[in-house]
Amino acid sequence: MAKVLVLYYSSYGHIETMAYAVAEGAKSAGADVTVKRVPELVPEDVARNSHFKLDQKAEIAKVDELADYDAIIIGAGTRFGTVASQMRNFWDQTGGLWFNGKLVGKVGSVFTSSATQHGGQESTILGFIPTLLHHGMVVAGLPYAFQGQSGVEAVKGGSPYGASTITDGDGSRQPSEVELEGARYQGAHVARIAAKLA
Ligand SMILES: Cc1cc2nc3c(=O)[nH]c(=O)nc-3n(C[C@H](O)[C@H](O)[C@H](O)COP(=O)(O)O)c2cc1C
């Protein structure tokens, strides 16, 4: 049974929702799944004044525990076209794991969200993949075998690089069923690859 970590950062809860859908998908493919988040870095008053979702139940991950999993699926929202710095900061602490090759051969995968349709989902995911490759990880995305990402009948996230959701400028849009399906598909896809490699 592959051990899969879904590691996320979410200010407003969209990525949190997507993370549990990814986890559901990984579980459905037989994986032993853990959902954790990375620490918040903005001052508490800023988080409160910005209406961040502060009641998130997932435990905070420790950097060294990344070595304990066969696959790590990373979720964080777009910030100015790139990944939220909370996630970046966490991975900036993985130098020791990198030096000792602790993540070599594990599966890595990324999902995201943004306010606008063309606000940087692809650049966020693609911008994070070099980090996974520097660690020697095997990168998996969201194949077009997940047909929900095709078609223009509705506003929707999803790309071959990874699942995604679009939140609208005020964050009022929640992940749609097809976006959640994409997240589940990515979770199952990664879990199956990790099981084969493990
Ligand atoms: C400082 C900041 C920068 C952002 N930059 C972008 C951006 O470049 N493009 C975009 O579409 N949305 C942008 N957003 C919106 C976030 O991507 C969105 O709030 C996030 O994906 C919601 O996910 P969450 O609910 O999990 O936090 C930005 C938000 C903040 C706070």
Side-chain angles (χ1 to χ4, degrees):
M1 185 189 274
K3 283 187 74 181
V4 174
L5 174 65
V6 181
L7 180 69
Y8 79 88
Y9 170 75
S10 182
S11 296
Y12 296 106
H14 300 82
I15 285 288
E16 180 190 31
T17 302
M18 292 287 278
Y20 285 100
V22 169
E24 217 182 290
K27 269 183 212 151
S28 76
D32 172 10
V33 186
T34 304
V35 180
K36 292 203 179 180
R37 60 198 170 104
V38 300
E40 183 54 84
L41 297 179
V42 308
E44 204 178 322
D45 60 317
V46 174
R48 285 193 190 287
N49 292 338
S50 307
H51 308 290
F52 282 13
K53 186 171 184 290
L54 299 173
D55 63 347
Q56 298 179 46
K57 301 282 185 292
E59 258 180 64
I60 304 284
K62 298 228 173 357
V63 170
D64 283 346
E65 77 176 275
L66 297 185
D68 300 339
Y69 300 92
D70 301 307
I72 305 167
I73 311 177
I74 295 134
T78 292
R79 294 285 183 275
F80 305 117
T82 189
V83 79
S85 59
Q86 289 83 349
M87 184 59 75
R88 184 76 260 154
N89 179 273
F90 188 85
W91 281 82
D92 283 356
Q93 298 173 59
T94 60
L97 293 175
W98 167 80
F99 186 76
N100 292 300
K102 293 285 190 187
L103 306 187
V104 173
K106 297 178 187 294
V107 184
S109 196
V110 186
F111 60 99
T112 193
S113 68
S114 69
T116 57
Q117 284 185 78
H118 305 289
Q121 301 202 334
E122 295 180 5
S123 55
T124 297
I125 295 176
L126 292 174
F128 201 78
I129 286 174
T131 301
L132 305 180
L133 293 174
H134 277 242
H135 272 291
M137 298 177 82
V138 176
V139 176
L142 177 65
Y144 274 114
F146 172 64
Q147 292 177 0
Q149 70 179 289
S150 298
V152 292
E153 74 289 352
V155 170
K156 58 184 173 183
S159 77
Y161 317 116
S164 61
T165 183
I166 299 158
T167 71
D168 209 352
D170 60 0
S172 60
R173 185 178 181 275
Q174 295 305 311
S176 66
E177 188 44 44
V178 73
E179 291 168 342
L180 293 170
E181 265 178 49
R184 288 184 207 108
Y185 195 106
Q186 186 172 354
H189 179 59
V190 169
R192 280 188 218 107
I193 294 170
K196 282 182 190 157
L197 294 179

